[in-house]
């Protein structure tokens, strides 16, 4: 058993979630060695061709990873694991926190498109999530974490994207089905964020969804409020004790970046890099 391989306990949780054999074509080779080969590559950040022979042909690992990234299998498996944990009451909804992190794009991740792409602001590719910054091209991962340092929702954007603009889209990604009839759970009781999300606009967005915002007041907002005197109103409510729990998202990001293929983006296509993020999240939920 290799250092990056799944343990028997982890495989017992993961095995029931894999899809069956395709209706057309050859049957899948055993999932366990192929999955371990994919994890070895994502953990080490090595080229696909360097996957050890004990996991089988590297082409099989690459094909399985790419095929499931296109049809959304990785995300479906992640959601299924979250549903099981929520059914057992093991998700800490009250400790949710939100933040983002940047991932520098390797030179291998650039220039793979064969068709002209639509360019967004500052030259960012809308569908590949490759942005331009002072250090070169990069991508950004937005993470919403529950209280036990496991990701509830993730989104990928270009590196220069503003963090607060992805606040509502990230909250909309939360959709945990419950056993039996009824609507899925989508609303969090509280969210801890840093000052980047502290503008009045984003506080109002959370308030409209009946979500308690735990965020310190921005210095520029405080200065403008004091300048107006009594007309500036009262400062926003801030629970310093609850804000201490915001470190869970930082710990979660550190655990995600243990996957070297996530800390540095090597994938050329956007759906492949998003699949890397989903696979890393799956391992954290096992």
């Amino acid at each position: 058993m290799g250092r990056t391989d799944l343990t028997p306990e982890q495989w017992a949780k993961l095995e029931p979630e894999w899809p069956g054999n395709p209706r057309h074509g050859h049957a899948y080779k055993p999932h366990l060695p192929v999955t371990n080969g994919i994890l070895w590559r994502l953990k080490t950040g090595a080229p696909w061709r360097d996957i050890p022979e004990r996991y089988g042909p590297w082409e099989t690992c690459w094909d399985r990873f790419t095929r499931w990234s296109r049809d959304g299998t990785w995300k479906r498996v992640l959601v299924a694991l979250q549903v099981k944990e929520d059914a057992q009451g093991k998700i800490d909804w009250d400790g949710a926190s939100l933040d983002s992190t940047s991932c520098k794009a390797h030179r291998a991740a650039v220039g793979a498109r064969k068709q002209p792409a639509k360019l967004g602001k500052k030259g960012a590719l809308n569908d590949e999530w490759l942005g331009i910054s002072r250090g070169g091209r990069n991508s950004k991962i937005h993470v919403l974490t529950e209280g036990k340092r496991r990701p509830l929702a993730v989104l990928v954007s270009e590196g220069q994207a503003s963090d607060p603009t992805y606040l509502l889209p990230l909250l909309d990604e939360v959709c945990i089905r419950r056993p039996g009839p009824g609507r899925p759970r989508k609303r969090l009781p509280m969210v801890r964020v840093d000052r980047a999300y502290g503008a009045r606009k984003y506080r109002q967005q959370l308030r409209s969804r009946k979500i308690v915002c735990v965020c310190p007041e921005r210095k520029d907002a405080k200065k403008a409020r004091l300048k107006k005197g009594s007309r500036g109103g009262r400062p926003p409510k801030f629970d310093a004790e609850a804000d201490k729990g915001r470190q869970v998202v930082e710990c979660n990001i550190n655990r995600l970046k243990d996957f070297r293929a996530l800390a540095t983006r090597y994938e050329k296509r956007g759906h492949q890099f998003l699949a890397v993020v989903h696979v890393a999240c799956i391992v954290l939920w096992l």
Side-chain angles (χ1 to χ4, degrees):
M1 180 176 174
R3 183 175 60 87
T4 62
D5 293 352
L6 295 172
T7 64
E9 294 77 12
Q10 291 176 324
W11 179 244
K13 294 181 180 179
L14 190 59
E15 185 178 14
E17 309 303 334
W18 289 140
N21 292 323
R23 297 179 59 182
H24 305 285
H26 296 285
Y28 285 128
K29 291 186 177 180
H31 288 307
L32 180 56
V34 176
T35 304
N36 285 332
I38 294 174
L39 291 180
W40 183 90
R41 188 265 166 180
L42 300 188
K43 273 281 191 178
T44 61
W48 287 98
R49 294 176 181 269
D50 294 341
I51 292 179
E53 295 181 358
R54 65 176 181 270
Y55 300 124
W58 69 267
E59 296 92 341
T60 303
C61 298
W62 179 87
D63 179 75
R64 189 85 50 93
F65 171 81
T66 304
R67 179 183 300 183
W68 286 356
S69 68
R70 288 172 179 162
D71 61 14
T73 298
W74 296 114
K75 184 177 181 179
R76 286 196 295 270
V77 172
L78 174 61
V79 173
L81 293 175
Q82 293 173 342
V83 170
K84 285 187 175 181
E85 291 291 305
D86 185 54
Q88 299 174 7
K90 296 182 179 180
I91 295 183
D92 184 4
W93 293 91
D94 296 328
S97 184
L98 187 150
D99 208 346
S100 68
T101 182
S102 295
C103 302
K104 183 175 177 60
H106 192 265
R107 64 176 183 177
V110 183
R113 294 191 61 87
K114 297 181 180 179
Q115 299 176 358
K118 296 181 180 179
L119 295 181
K121 295 181 180 179
K122 299 182 181 180
L125 299 179
N126 294 330
D127 52 348
E128 303 296 358
W129 304 308
L130 277 175
I132 299 178
S133 66
R134 185 174 298 176
R137 290 195 177 270
N138 61 348
S139 298
K140 184 177 288 186
I141 304 175
H142 306 265
V143 185
L144 175 61
T145 306
E146 51 99 38
K148 295 182 180 179
R149 305 176 184 179
R150 297 175 299 184
L152 281 174
V154 290
L155 286 177
V156 178
S157 70
E158 59 274 12
Q160 77 278 0
S162 174
D163 291 356
T165 57
Y166 283 82
L167 174 61
L168 293 186
L170 191 59
L171 293 174
D172 291 336
E173 281 290 305
V174 179
C175 185
I176 308 298
R177 300 188 307 274
R178 301 179 183 181
R183 294 178 295 178
R185 183 163 187 172
K186 297 179 64 70
R187 186 176 65 86
L188 299 166
M190 179 187 297
V191 173
R192 298 166 176 83
V193 293
D194 58 19
R195 287 185 174 88
Y197 303 84
R200 178 178 299 179
K201 172 183 176 181
Y202 305 110
R203 292 179 183 270
Q204 292 176 347
Q205 291 177 351
L206 293 175
R207 192 180 303 115
S208 65
R209 298 192 176 201
K210 299 181 180 179
I211 300 177
V212 177
C213 177
V214 179
C215 177
E217 186 179 14
R218 294 167 58 103
K219 292 183 179 179
D220 55 347
K222 181 179 180 179
K223 184 177 180 181
R225 177 175 57 80
L226 295 177
K227 186 177 181 180
K228 293 180 181 179
S230 59
R231 295 182 294 105
R234 294 176 296 179
K237 186 178 180 180
F238 173 62
D239 189 346
E241 190 65 27
D243 187 59
K244 294 179 181 179
R246 193 171 62 86
Q247 48 87 23
V248 297
V249 67
E250 307 294 346
C251 296
N252 185 18
I253 290 175
N254 288 338
R255 295 175 66 189
L256 288 175
K257 285 200 168 183
D258 286 340
F259 292 80
R260 295 189 177 183
L262 184 150
T264 301
R265 175 174 172 172
Y266 296 98
E267 271 61 38
K268 297 178 180 180
R269 306 308 304 269
H271 67 87
Q272 292 176 330
F273 183 64
L274 182 60
V276 171
V277 179
H278 286 154
V279 174
C281 293
I282 288 172
V283 174
L284 297 187
W285 277 96
L286 293 177

